[in-house]
């Protein structure tokens, strides 16, 4: 789309490895969802294959189809309602001007408070990403993006739109950052420097492979106002279990991605990593957040769903599910807790003698 002056606004961070189909299945976000919304806001139509083989289309190219918003229903359904075989997305025009800022802090709390204050002042950057010191150091060693290795945290912010508005927003963000004790606020000098900063952000997960044999990536969501206290709690949980927990995430919309570094060959480490991760996600919910922002529920978090939903909620979701996939032929055992739907299929799918294929 770029040669035509267009782009896909959600801008998934894992674009080198993810697919548009995966984005649709999980209703994925990305760095630029703060201003432009998540995947569902940019999908206008879908071609679907129902479990009985029927091919149907929902939505239209213009995104204004009458009737129920079935496109919105299927985006984020994690492959439990139908197979998606064609996707029509809305492309956006490239903005007139873009400015990318790197705000550097000697305190994680100061960086987190800056995020809270930026949005409280109704400044809406296109993107607002945060990397803590532990993460940015390993990223810098790997990518050489220009992140200061001696800082406690950085914010990578981007503003775009009309040239005059972009300049005003960039100045406002710098002022807020300085008010929260930013050591420095850098403005990318050109497109090459901008792309290098984003390369550092988008290759961060790969860089972490240099620190531990494996890692467990979380996907909790919290209100932005709870960001400072939640990061403190994550540090406390990591210290208690003896883990280094890296933080690199979409700070602007409160979508956290704590990364627990551990060795899966050590059974004790694996179990403690799961326990620490469960505590973090439960805390996210306790402060008014949610279980997932873009990675989905799958089987990993299905038993935590009752933290957010009542039996009546599950009954309604099950009725919607059964209208499309009554025999649980697609992704059995996903999303619903064991006792809340498709339980018999989920148990059966774990039996070695069961030869039915199971989507992953």
């Amino acid at each position: 789309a770029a040669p035509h002056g267009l782009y896909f606004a959600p801008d998934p961070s894992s674009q080198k490895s993810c697919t548009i189909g995966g984005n649709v299945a999980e209703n994925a976000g990305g760095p630029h969802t703060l201003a432009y919304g998540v995947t569902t806001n940019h999908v206008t139509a879908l071609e679907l294959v129902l479990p009985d083989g029927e091919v149907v289309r929902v939505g239209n190219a213009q995104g204004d189809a009458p009737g129920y918003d079935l496109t919105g229903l299927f985006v984020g359904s994690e492959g439990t309602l139908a197979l998606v075989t064609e996707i029509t997305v809305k492309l956006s025009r490239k903005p007139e001007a873009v400015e990318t800022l790197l705000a550097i802090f000697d305190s994680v709390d100061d960086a987190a408070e800056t995020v809270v204050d930026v949005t409280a002042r109704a400044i809406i950057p296109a993107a607002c990403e945060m990397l803590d010191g532990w993460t940015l150091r390993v990223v810098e060693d790997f990518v050489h993006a220009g992140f200061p290795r001696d800082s406690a945290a950085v914010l990578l912010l981007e503003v775009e739109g009309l040239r005059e508005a972009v300049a005003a927003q960039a100045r406002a963000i710098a002022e807020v950052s300085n008010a929260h004790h930013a050591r420095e606020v850098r403005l990318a000098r050109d497109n090459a420097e901008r792309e290098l900063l984003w390369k550092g952000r988008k290759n961060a997960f790969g860089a972490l492979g240099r620190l531990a044999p494996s890692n467990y990536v979380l996907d909790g969501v919290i209100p932005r106002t709870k960001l400072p206290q939640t990061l403190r709690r994550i540090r406390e949980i990591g210290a208690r279990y003896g883990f280094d927990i890296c933080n690199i995430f979409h700070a602007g919309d409160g979508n956290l991605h704590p990364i627990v570094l551990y060795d899966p060959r050590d059974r004790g480490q694996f179990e403690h990593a799961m326990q620490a991760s469960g505590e973090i996600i439960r805390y996210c919910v306790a402060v008014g957040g949610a279980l997932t922002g873009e990675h989905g529920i799958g089987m990993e978090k299905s038993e935590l769903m009752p933290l957010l939903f009542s039996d009546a909620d599950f009954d309604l979701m099950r009725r919607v599910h059964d209208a499309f996939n009554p025999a649980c032929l697609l992704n059995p055992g996903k999303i619903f807790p064991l006792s809340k739907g498709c339980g018999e299929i989920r148990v059966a799918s774990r039996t070695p003698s069961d030869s039915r294929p199971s989507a992953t």
Side-chain angles (χ1 to χ4, degrees):
H4 303 283
L6 303 170
Y7 74 115
F8 184 58
D11 187 30
S13 295
S14 54
Q15 58 193 237
K16 287 188 176 181
S17 58
C18 70
T19 66
I20 295 294
N23 292 177
V24 168
E26 308 299 342
N27 191 22
H32 288 82
T33 59
L34 173 59
Y36 302 118
V38 292
T39 298
T40 191
N41 303 116
H42 300 270
V43 173
T44 66
L46 298 170
E47 179 185 82
L48 308 162
V49 181
L50 300 178
D52 63 3
E54 181 183 1
V55 179
V56 299
R57 295 188 69 88
V58 297
N60 62 25
Q62 292 72 38
D64 59 354
Y68 295 120
D69 180 16
L70 295 177
T71 305
L73 175 65
F74 283 96
V75 176
S77 61
E78 302 192 30
T80 61
L81 303 182
L83 300 177
V84 179
T85 51
E86 183 181 293
I87 301 160
T88 303
V89 302
K90 175 176 67 176
L91 297 178
S92 302
R93 292 191 180 277
K94 288 187 175 181
E96 177 182 283
V98 178
E99 293 285 8
T100 303
L101 300 94
L102 184 71
I104 303 165
F105 296 87
D106 292 323
S107 160
V108 172
D109 282 0
D110 286 341
E113 293 288 357
T114 299
V115 175
V116 174
D117 201 7
V118 164
T119 52
R121 298 190 192 196
I123 303 169
I124 308 297
C128 180
E129 301 288 293
M130 181 171 172
L131 294 81
D132 64 15
W134 181 263
T135 308
L136 67 86
R137 279 185 281 278
V138 69
V139 170
E140 184 61 19
D141 289 344
F142 179 57
V143 178
H144 309 296
F147 297 148
R149 299 185 78 263
D150 62 339
S151 62
V154 297
L155 294 178
L156 182 60
L157 303 109
E158 194 157 88
V159 290
E160 57 186 39
L162 297 177
R163 198 173 310 280
E164 295 80 6
V166 165
Q169 281 199 314
R171 286 194 300 270
I173 288 172
E175 289 172 4
V176 175
S177 300
N178 290 328
H180 290 279
H181 317 295
R183 181 208 300 178
E184 181 184 357
V185 181
R186 298 178 185 171
L187 191 65
R189 293 185 298 271
D190 50 34
N191 196 52
E193 186 173 357
R194 172 178 174 265
E195 289 181 357
L196 187 59
L197 289 171
W198 280 111
K199 181 181 179 181
R201 165 61 182 92
K202 294 187 176 186
N203 286 276
F205 283 79
L208 292 174
R210 300 156 67 96
L211 296 182
S214 189
N215 62 69
Y216 189 53
V217 183
L218 307 184
D219 179 46
V221 181
I222 58 168
R224 284 183 294 258
T225 55
K226 306 295 184 181
L227 186 55
Q229 71 185 62
T230 303
L231 291 177
R232 287 194 293 270
R233 177 58 68 90
I234 290 171
R235 291 197 297 270
E236 293 169 3
I237 292 172
R240 181 155 29 92
Y241 282 96
F243 288 118
D244 293 314
I245 300 181
C246 301
N247 286 284
I248 176 168
F249 57 94
H250 312 310
D253 56 351
N255 187 184
L256 303 182
H257 294 313
I259 306 167
V260 182
L261 303 172
Y262 74 103
D263 186 343
R265 296 166 296 188
D266 184 327
R267 183 67 187 177
Q269 276 199 32
F270 172 76
E271 291 175 353
H272 286 155
M274 298 303 100
Q275 292 166 6
S277 301
E279 281 194 35
I280 292 171
I281 293 298
R282 285 184 171 87
Y283 185 78
C284 290
V285 174
V287 297
L291 296 172
T292 179
E294 57 177 343
H295 295 178
I297 297 296
M299 291 186 291
E300 173 196 18
K301 300 175 185 172
S302 60
E303 301 306 325
L304 297 177
M305 286 283 275
L307 294 175
L308 285 176
F309 299 105
S310 67
D311 286 344
D313 297 330
F314 284 118
D315 182 59
L316 177 60
M317 284 189 276
R318 187 166 51 245
R319 284 155 57 194
V320 172
H321 174 279
D322 291 350
F324 295 96
N325 184 20
C328 292
L329 296 178
L330 301 179
N331 268 1
K334 300 293 178 70
I335 300 179
F336 294 104
L338 188 59
S339 61
K340 302 297 182 183
C342 292
E344 69 286 355
I345 301 296
R346 181 170 174 183
V347 172
S349 69
R350 293 176 175 175
T351 305
S353 59
D354 187 358
S355 60
R356 290 171 299 180
S358 176
T360 57

